């Protein structure tokens, strides 16, 4: 309770029954009156709370840790450049001897690591300790590279083993200190400056060692930047080596070593990623690193002749697609525990490798057959297991195969007897037949995945596109067969048969639609629409092309068969709708 006449603290209402303090002179005396605004005489309990005080914004360069981190990174870079100069440039200039240079580098690195461990334990010494330790460990790694690749005091196998021990010690210290920056600085410092120490192929081995040494770290630590730092240097160096080998004429041993390096990078990337994502399914950065690690294997096949390159690509495709297939099989997926994003990356990379294999073992005539067969397989899997990824890969291969087929069987070649006999072969006919199977599988798969409503606009567009593609493929197959028979009238006979097949397909679609007119209006609508569209196309071909190209009995046969089919379809069409009208009238009367 407040004593009489006491003033409550600001923001606190007086208790009931409390006697308010006397009002100063000049206030209104009526009940409920408030002092005039701006007089400064408002009672404390009626004053609004003061607004929160804003802390002044500190510029970024004055914030705690920013400048220290920038200076630390700069110090690491400059010091490591000095180490490289000691190991390489001093040797080129003739300063000191090899032994003093190497010993000085090792002692200097050890001193930096020791100083870093001492500084890290002090208050505010985390940034400095990490910078000193990272510089010392990376410097020791560069010292091992120089001893192995420049002075040749160690056999490459021994040198790589020592380098692995140094890198493992660095990342082990990073795990103990729980410092991702330490691990990243060690890896990037050693990887970025190692090419200035040596440009020999053994450099790839030292970069792969860095990639391998960091894999165990990812099991216990979710360090996404380390994923990228350990993968990109080895990949870039290998791709540069492959590019140089493609430009220059090199011996086969260098090509083999590049292949070995590509296999090692891909294996470390795949195995490491699979082991990591089994523990942390949401580690997308691990999958990204895996995708990056596949690029050398996809590029190295270009160094060899077509057969060997195709064999390498095919073997890699089998491995990657097997990893991707684990997601599609429930029992295997429960054991493998590979997340979807990793399976998608494996499937896409495997598809690229499979495309390389197809290109390597085929010619311009047979490439459409190979790619369309692959598309047929992907679409079959997609439709059976309802996999959108498999469907997308199947459509991609179908487009590639379709473009390759169209480049061979162009409309100009199909319309000219001379060009058809010169360019169309039995491979063209086989590719066309395979393409028709792909069209059928594509329609089935899309309907299962998309759940296209029967009779809807989407399904109508789907059937129109499929009908157009099928008509072109049928024409190409029949004309190619006719052109390759060697008969004088083979080309014209092929076109005549193609026109008749068009009309027969249209008749079948129309009759199917009329038969389902009373059962399912949606199915009847799609079938009748497709049938009328193909009928229009057949009549256009008959009068615009066949009439001018065909001659003699062949032209007569084409017109007679098409006319009879039109009469049959027209009669059945009229009777079907008359029967449907009679049924509707009877239902209305009842």
């Amino acid at each position: 309770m407040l004593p009489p006449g006491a003033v409550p603290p600001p923001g606190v209402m007086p208790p009931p029954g409390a006697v308010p303090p006397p009002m100063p002179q000049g206030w209104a005396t009526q009940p409920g009156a408030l002092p005039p605004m701006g007089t400064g005489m408002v009672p404390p309990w009626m004053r609004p709370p003061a607004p929160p005080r804003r802390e002044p914004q500190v510029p970024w360069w004055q914030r705690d840790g920013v400048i220290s981190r920038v200076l630390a990174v700069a110090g690491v870079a400059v010091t490591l450049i000095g180490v490289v100069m000691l190991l390489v440039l001093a040797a080129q200039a003739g300063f000191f001897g090899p032994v003093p240079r190497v010993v000085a580098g090792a002692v200097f690195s050890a001193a930096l690591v020791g100083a870093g461990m001492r500084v890290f334990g002090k208050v505010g010494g985390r940034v400095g300790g990490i910078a000193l330790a990272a510089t010392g460990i990376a410097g020791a790694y560069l010292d091992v590279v120089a001893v192995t690749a420049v002075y040749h005091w160690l056999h490459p196998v021994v040198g790589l083993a020592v380098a692995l021990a140094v890198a493992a010690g660095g990342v082990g210290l990073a795990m103990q200190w729980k410092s991702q920056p330490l691990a990243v600085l060690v890896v990037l410092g050693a990887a970025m400056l190692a090419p200035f120490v040596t440009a020999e192929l053994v450099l790839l081995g030292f970069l792969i060692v860095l990639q391998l040494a960091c894999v165990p770290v990812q099991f216990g630590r979710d360090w996404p930047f380390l994923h990228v730092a350990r993968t990109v240097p080895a990949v870039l160096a290998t791709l540069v080596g492959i590019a140089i080998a493609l430009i220059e004429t090199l011996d086969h041993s260098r090509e083999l070593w590049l292949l070995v390096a590509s296999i090692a990078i891909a294996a470390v990337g795949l195995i490491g990623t699979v082991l990591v994502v089994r523990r942390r399914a949401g580690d997308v950065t691990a999958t990204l690193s895996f995708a990056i690690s596949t690029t050398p294997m996809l590029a190295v096949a270009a160094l060899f002749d077509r057969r060997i390159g195709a064999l390498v690509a095919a073997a890699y495709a089998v491995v990657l697609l097997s990893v991707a297939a684990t997601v599609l099989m429930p029992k295997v997926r429960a054991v493998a525990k590979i997340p979807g994003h990793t399976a998608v990356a494996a499937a896409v990379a495997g598809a690229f490798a499979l495309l390389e294999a197809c290109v390597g073992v085929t010619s311009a005539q047979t490439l459409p057959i190979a790619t369309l067969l692959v598309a047929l397989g992907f679409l079959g899997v997609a439709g059976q297991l309802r996999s959108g990824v498999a469907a997308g890969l199947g459509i991609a291969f179908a487009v590639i195969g379709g473009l390759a087929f169209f480049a061979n069987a162009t409309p100009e070649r199909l319309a000219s007897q001379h060009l058809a006999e010169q360019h169309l072969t039995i491979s063209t006919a086989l590719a066309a037949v395979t393409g028709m199977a792909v069209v059928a599988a594509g329609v089935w798969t899309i309907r299962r995945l998309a759940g296209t409503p029967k009779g809807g606009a989407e399904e109508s567009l789907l059937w129109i596109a499929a009908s157009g593609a099928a008509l072109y493929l049928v024409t190409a197959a029949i004309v190619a067969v006719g052109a390759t028979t060697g008969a004088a009238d083979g080309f014209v006979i092929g076109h005549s048969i193609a026109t008749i097949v068009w009309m027969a397909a249209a008749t079948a679609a129309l009759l199917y639609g009329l038969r389902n007119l009373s059962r399912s209006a949606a199915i009847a609508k799609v079938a009748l629409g497709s049938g009328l569209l193909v009928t229009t196309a057949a009549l256009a071909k008959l009068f615009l092309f066949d009439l001018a190209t065909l001659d003699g009995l062949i032209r007569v046969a084409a017109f007679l068969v098409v006319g009879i089919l039109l009469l049959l379809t027209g009669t059945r069409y009229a009777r079907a709708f008359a029967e449907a009208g009679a049924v509707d009238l009877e239902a209305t009367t009842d």
Side-chain angles (χ1 to χ4, degrees):
M1 294 294 292
L2 294 173
V7 179
V12 178
M13 295 297 295
V19 179
M23 292 187 297
Q25 294 182 357
W27 282 31
T29 59
Q30 62 270 25
L34 294 176
M37 298 300 295
T39 61
M41 305 301 294
V42 180
W45 64 83
M46 300 188 67
R47 295 173 186 172
R53 181 180 300 177
R54 290 187 178 182
E55 296 291 338
Q57 291 187 354
V58 180
W60 67 268
W61 50 272
Q62 291 182 355
R63 296 175 188 172
D64 182 28
V66 174
I67 293 298
S68 61
R69 289 185 177 90
V70 173
L71 294 177
V73 173
V76 171
V78 173
T79 307
L80 288 178
I81 292 173
V83 172
V84 172
M85 290 180 178
L86 173 65
L87 295 173
V88 179
L89 298 183
Q92 295 176 355
F95 298 152
F96 312 110
V99 174
R101 288 192 293 269
V102 172
V103 172
V107 171
F108 184 58
S109 298
L112 287 174
V113 175
M117 298 179 69
R118 183 179 181 83
V119 171
F120 185 84
K122 296 183 178 181
V123 178
R126 180 177 179 83
V127 174
I130 290 173
L132 290 170
T135 307
I137 296 168
Y141 197 91
L142 295 174
D143 204 31
V144 177
V145 175
V147 168
T148 305
V150 178
Y151 304 117
H152 304 287
W153 294 349
L154 295 177
H155 188 274
V157 175
V158 178
L160 292 174
V162 175
L164 180 61
V166 174
V171 295
L173 182 63
M175 290 188 67
Q176 183 180 355
W177 287 0
K178 299 180 180 180
S179 172
Q180 180 178 199
L182 173 58
V184 172
L185 286 174
V186 168
V187 173
L188 286 184
M192 293 178 67
L193 293 177
F196 294 96
V197 177
T198 179
E200 299 297 327
L201 277 176
V202 72
L203 169 66
L204 300 180
F206 284 104
L207 296 178
I208 294 170
V209 163
L210 289 174
Q211 181 193 14
L212 177 62
C214 298
V215 172
V217 181
Q218 303 295 148
F219 297 160
R221 297 284 187 271
D222 185 10
W223 289 351
F225 294 107
L226 186 59
H227 274 308
V228 180
R230 70 182 176 86
T231 305
V232 171
V235 170
L236 287 180
T238 307
L239 291 177
V240 171
I242 293 172
I244 294 174
L246 288 173
I247 297 172
E248 301 178 359
T249 303
L250 303 175
D251 57 318
H252 293 293
S253 62
R254 189 177 184 88
E255 297 174 352
L256 292 176
W257 280 115
L258 287 171
L259 175 61
V260 171
S262 301
I263 293 173
I265 293 172
V268 173
L270 175 60
I271 297 173
T273 298
V274 169
L275 293 177
V276 168
V277 296
R278 281 170 56 88
R279 292 171 175 260
R280 293 189 304 274
D283 197 340
V284 180
T285 310
T287 297
L288 176 62
S289 300
F290 158 63
I292 295 173
S293 69
T294 63
T295 53
M297 276 297 295
L298 297 177
V300 76
L303 296 179
F304 304 92
D305 59 52
R306 296 184 63 183
R307 293 184 178 180
I308 297 178
L311 181 61
V312 171
Y316 194 41
V318 170
V319 174
L320 292 175
L321 294 177
S322 299
V323 174
T326 57
V327 178
L328 301 177
M329 296 177 285
K331 294 183 179 179
V332 179
R333 179 176 56 193
V335 177
K337 297 180 181 179
I338 296 178
H341 52 84
T342 305
V344 170
V348 173
F352 275 107
L354 191 56
L355 179 60
E356 283 186 340
C358 291
V359 173
V361 298
T362 59
S363 62
Q365 296 286 342
T366 56
L367 177 60
I369 300 176
T371 50
L372 289 173
L373 284 174
V374 173
L376 186 62
F378 275 121
L379 290 173
V381 172
Q384 185 67 29
L385 301 177
R386 299 180 185 271
S387 170
V389 176
L393 295 176
I395 293 173
F397 271 92
V399 171
I400 294 172
L403 292 175
F405 175 81
F406 189 79
N408 182 38
T410 61
E412 183 182 8
R413 292 178 181 179
L414 293 179
S416 171
Q417 181 172 359
H418 172 69
L419 294 177
E421 293 175 349
Q422 184 178 0
H423 295 284
L424 301 184
T425 62
I426 194 65
S427 297
T428 308
L430 292 175
V433 173
T434 309
M436 286 186 279
V438 170
V439 170
V443 171
W444 173 67
T445 300
I446 292 174
R447 294 185 67 191
R448 281 179 61 87
L449 288 178
T452 307
K454 295 183 179 180
E458 296 84 356
E459 188 172 23
S460 299
L461 292 175
L462 178 63
W463 281 107
I464 289 173
S467 300
L471 289 179
Y472 193 89
L473 292 168
V474 166
T475 305
I478 298 175
V479 172
V481 171
T484 55
T485 57
D489 296 332
F491 175 78
V492 294
I493 292 175
H495 267 290
S496 175
I497 296 174
T499 303
I500 294 172
V501 170
W502 283 26
M503 193 60 218
T507 302
L510 290 172
L511 293 178
Y512 179 78
L514 294 173
R515 188 179 300 112
N516 290 276
L517 193 61
S518 58
R519 302 177 184 175
S520 175
I523 296 177
K525 178 183 176 181
V526 174
L528 292 176
S530 301
L532 291 175
L533 179 65
V534 177
T535 299
T536 304
L539 291 175
K541 182 177 184 297
L542 183 67
F543 284 97
L544 298 178
F545 181 81
D546 294 354
L547 186 61
T549 305
L550 307 184
D551 55 3
L553 293 177
I554 298 174
R555 180 167 56 187
V556 172
F559 271 79
L560 287 176
V561 174
V562 172
I564 292 171
L565 291 175
L566 282 172
L567 290 173
L568 173 64
T569 305
T571 303
R572 181 69 183 90
Y573 202 92
R575 192 176 69 181
F577 277 90
E579 293 175 351
V583 171
D584 293 341
L585 180 60
E586 182 179 354
T588 304
T589 303
D590 293 340

